[in-house]
Amino acid sequence: MQTQELKKIANNIRKSIIEGTYQAKSGHPGGSLSAADLLAVLYFDTMNYDKDMVDDPDRDRFVLSKGHAAPALYGVLAEKEIIPKEEIKSLRHVGSRLQGHPSMKELDGVEISTGSLGQGISAAVGIALAGKLDEKDYHVYALLGDGETEEGQVWEAAMFAGNNNLDNLTLFVDLNNLQIDGTLDEVNSPLPLDEKFKSFNFNVIVVDDGNDIDQLKQAIDQALNYKGKPTAVIMQTIKGKGVSFMEGEVDWHGKGPNEEEYKKAMKELEEAGEKL
Amino acid sequence: MSKNIATRDSYGKMITELGDINKDIVVLDADLAAATKSGMFKSKHPERFFDVGIAEQNMMGIAAGLAASGKIPFVSTFAMFAAGRAFEQIRNSIGYPHLNVKICASHGGISVGEDGATHQCLEDFGLMRLIPGMVVINPADDVEAKAAVKAIAEYQGPVYMRLGRLAVPVVFDEETYEFEIGKGQVLKEGDDLTIIVSGLPVAATLEAADRLKADGVNAEVINMATIKPIDSELIVESAKKTGKVITVEEHNVIGGLGSAVAEVLGEENPVPVKRIGVQDEFGTSGPAAELLKLYKLDTDGIYEQIKEFIA
């Protein structure tokens, strides 16, 4: 798909993120906004996946290991017409399929329930392993938070994926440098991630701007063409990307916008959309 | 009761046999395949066996991913490192999405022996029972363990099954024994009291019941291999008849079979309940037989505790 079209989809995902977290009066807009561009590229350019393929055994799979970025996943599923756009407003409400963290039992399109950090990557490894066992051609993509890589389980999973040469697995690390208690450095930095993944027998690709559609497309091409090892794409992003007052602000990790902030954010996104 | 067999061996044999027929069965272990006996499957079906190394949390997650892709993963390690170490992974990655993962954990209870308290899991029934939708099974002998492995392979949904390290007497007859998830069995009928027992202490409990009979006490003995969902109907029916209930398990008396039975009776048919098991303490090193004596889970210990209760 053309870059311009993908930018529009990413912008729509951002609107859904703001709409959902505003209606929920909670949620995680910062780390959802930083991942919007990647989800647009994966679901509309890369993956063999569509609304009539949610149970297709040959579909490509996306696992949101950083489950708190659920609003971004729901946003892209709405763009895919797997959930109605109106339903975004039900995020985190009683009875909603759009749980605070994605639940596979509630919602088609969620490959595996996530939310407790470090666990989605293991499930993604299991799905990739099943693909190898069944000699399927599908590819598994998983998105991790940078802070999430502080979980030991991430490295247990990486060790297994590397040692078993799961080249049908591509991990993305959303390196926005912010976690709840501060910057990575202020908390307990897991960096450098490129060298760590290399030493775990991964093909590693560093993307300087993980909010740039073309750079993401190029990285995914490289990942898919690499045989014999899983790939880790370390993508530098901006937390809160696309909403001026949320960009780079750790405070926007885990709260919803109030009415004034909501209107301001939506106005910015509307204007950005019109320019595209 | 000619020979003693450890239920981990029964597991190894049966899962290997099932693997011949059902190609969706995949077995995972965390560097304990020789001890859990999942190694038997590995020898026969190496292409469907994965050793994840000493990384139980990741193993549970991989199993979740395999199950989400249509496989039937059987996951083995010691009970302590499954139910204990990987509790939250089991809860969130397997239990919450209700995935078809079979956690077959060996080395449950104090009968682990010399390795001591760090390896003697006395909390697994309690921990696993707390997860909504989780089936918890604790077979008593070779015959029951094999039948249970077969049953859980056919069942859709998450299961935790405890297996033992120690070779134990075969109490059931392979020809007549039938296993059904969620059903207890009356092994001896009696009117004076009900003894509900699960797992390893079944053989000793039957002997204790024989001694009680010699004293003129007719105990009803119920084998309760499925701890969750518990067979409330059978528990209540027997308690109505006898008016007092004793539970026997190789587990902390908090959280396991005793708790499950007391919960049922407390709500549906209150009668005095005595819980025999490990009395809220950690295990210790020693030969298994000596430990079972020390913690009063051998025939003498069970008999004496019942005598005290009914005195």
Side-chain angles (χ1 to χ4, degrees), chain B residues 7-290:
Chain B
T7 51
R8 59 180 167 144
D9 279 300
S10 324
Y11 166 67
K13 266 180 217 152
M14 186 47 77
I15 194 62
T16 308
E17 211 174 283
L18 292 175
D20 293 339
I21 314 156
N22 191 336
K23 304 294 177 199
D24 285 333
I25 291 177
V26 178
V27 175
L28 306 177
D29 207 303
D31 198 36
L32 288 169
T36 65
K37 303 298 174 186
S38 72
M40 293 185 195
F41 183 94
K42 179 188 178 181
S43 308
K44 190 84 186 289
H45 309 287
E47 72 290 352
R48 282 184 280 136
F49 176 86
F50 298 94
D51 204 322
V52 303
I54 308 164
E56 298 79 10
Q57 302 164 65
N58 180 45
M59 177 165 69
M60 296 305 169
I62 290 181
L66 287 165
S69 313
K71 300 290 171 199
I72 308 173
F74 278 72
V75 179
S76 287
T77 179
F78 289 177
M80 192 72 248
F81 313 129
R85 190 187 195 102
F87 171 78
E88 200 252 10
Q89 280 75 12
I90 296 174
R91 193 255 191 204
N92 275 326
S93 285
I94 296 170
Y96 176 44
H98 201 73
L99 287 168
N100 196 25
V101 176
K102 318 301 171 185
I103 302 156
C104 294
S106 74
H107 291 59
I110 48 164
S111 58
V112 165
E114 293 83 348
D115 276 355
T118 53
H119 285 55
Q120 295 164 342
C121 191
L122 296 167
E123 304 87 1
D124 47 343
F125 305 153
L127 288 163
M128 292 296 104
R129 214 159 65 82
L130 271 170
I131 299 173
M134 181 68 75
V135 167
V136 181
I137 296 175
N138 180 37
D141 76 343
D142 177 58
V143 172
E144 188 164 65
K146 285 196 283 199
V149 173
K150 218 171 163 179
I152 66 172
E154 285 164 16
Y155 170 82
Q156 273 287 328
V159 176
Y160 175 85
M161 182 155 89
R162 183 207 266 198
L163 302 159
R165 171 178 184 260
L166 184 68
V168 292
V170 178
V171 287
F172 298 113
D173 179 354
E174 197 144 24
E175 300 299 315
T176 57
Y177 179 82
E178 280 177 33
F179 179 84
E180 193 183 333
I181 294 172
K183 292 282 176 223
Q185 301 126 338
V186 178
L187 302 183
K188 270 185 204 299
E189 287 191 28
D191 300 318
D192 297 334
L193 62 114
T194 302
I195 310 173
I196 302 175
V197 55
S198 186
L200 175 138
V202 167
T205 300
L206 285 169
E207 285 173 8
D210 286 342
R211 283 199 213 165
L212 289 167
K213 187 152 196 191
D215 298 340
V217 179
N218 278 320
E220 179 143 295
V221 180
I222 294 175
N223 172 44
M224 199 62 83
T226 310
I227 293 173
K228 184 182 176 180
I230 194 100
D231 190 346
S232 338
E233 211 177 308
L234 184 60
I235 295 170
V236 170
E237 190 185 81
S238 184
K240 276 185 177 158
K241 182 169 69 173
T242 65
K244 44 176 109 61
V245 174
I246 291 144
T247 58
V248 186
E249 65 191 312
E250 192 193 4
H251 188 274
N252 193 331
V253 290
I254 298 172
L257 174 75
S259 291
V261 168
E263 286 158 17
V264 169
L265 292 173
E267 287 187 350
E268 295 183 34
N269 188 59
V271 296
V273 174
K274 162 77 181 169
R275 294 166 302 150
I276 294 177
V278 175
Q279 302 296 326
D280 198 21
E281 53 186 319
F282 292 106
T284 188
S285 285
E290 285 180 37

Side-chain angles (χ1 to χ4, degrees), chain A residues 1 3 9 15 26 72 89 121 132 165 188 190 238 246:
Chain A
M1 189 179 268
T3 299
I9 290 162
K15 285 192 221 164
S26 66
K89 291 182 179 167
I121 176 177
K132 290 285 184 192
N165 307 313
N188 185 19
I238 293 172
M246 291 185 180

